[in-house]
Amino acid sequence: MNIGILGGTNLATNLGNKFIGRGMDVVFGVREGFSTRKVEWKILKMQNHYVLNYADAITASDVVIICCENEFLPVVCDYLKQYGSPDKLYIDSTNGVHNESVDCNTTYIRNETGYQRIFKAFNNLGLDYPKSDPLELIKETYFCGDNPKDKQLLKKLIELIGFKAIDAGMIKNACLLEAVYHLSKEISMAKSGDCHFRLMSV
């Protein structure tokens, strides 16, 4: 199984390195003109891990994880339509703007591409992860989607890299997962420090 991670973010390199550490084949897709001068990207290139453009990364992947900034999401969707296929598994790890009048990113990606194998996962980490969690206290991530078989695969991928996978139901709940992320950021701003939610069963 080949994993493609789209976006030049901290989350992209961190998830990629976790999968590489578990023996998975990973390629990274970045936008045209993206600078790979940062240390983490230089290391990836030195280790012969593929840093490609969006098109080549999507083509080479069975599972595509979307970790790009919101400003580049329309471009990513265009590439997904051109070079993706309904047979691939797509994981949206982004968070849209905090605006009730705007659909969440997962809904946007689904509407723009027309693909049904789209899932939400890892968005609680944020694109700046692990800077937002320097002590590595986050041990869980939530995921949602409609296909039970694909959800089992996604659960295994999440657990493979050391996170507890918490099933958040159907894909319609992707907007709720984004809302939880935005709420954590609002609380963090009020407390002047990073805050994260943890699910507890009693």
Side-chain angles (χ1 to χ4, degrees), residues 90-186:
Y90 302 93
I91 302 168
D92 172 31
S93 302
T94 68
N95 292 287
V97 296
H98 184 32
N99 188 331
E100 292 182 0
S101 65
V102 179
D103 286 332
C104 70
N105 280 0
T106 312
T107 302
Y108 174 80
I109 294 168
R110 201 171 191 184
N111 290 342
E112 287 295 304
T113 64
Y115 298 144
Q116 298 302 305
R117 295 185 74 195
I118 295 179
F119 295 79
K120 191 80 167 181
F122 302 117
N123 77 296
N124 64 306
L125 304 179
L127 294 183
D128 60 345
Y129 180 86
K131 290 184 177 179
S132 58
D133 182 31
L135 299 180
E136 297 187 5
L137 299 177
I138 303 176
K139 302 297 183 183
E140 61 191 25
T141 189
Y142 314 98
F143 69 100
C144 65
D146 292 342
N147 185 289
K149 185 176 179 180
D150 285 337
K151 287 180 77 172
Q152 283 301 310
L153 173 59
L154 178 53
K155 182 174 185 289
K156 289 180 180 178
L157 288 173
I158 292 170
E159 292 173 342
L160 179 68
I161 57 174
F163 290 102
K164 181 179 180 181
I166 298 176
D167 190 338
M170 306 293 281
I171 196 64
K172 65 180 182 180
N173 293 334
C175 296
L176 296 179
L177 294 185
E178 290 195 17
V180 169
Y181 171 81
H182 288 302
L183 179 58
S184 72
K185 290 303 167 187
E186 291 291 328

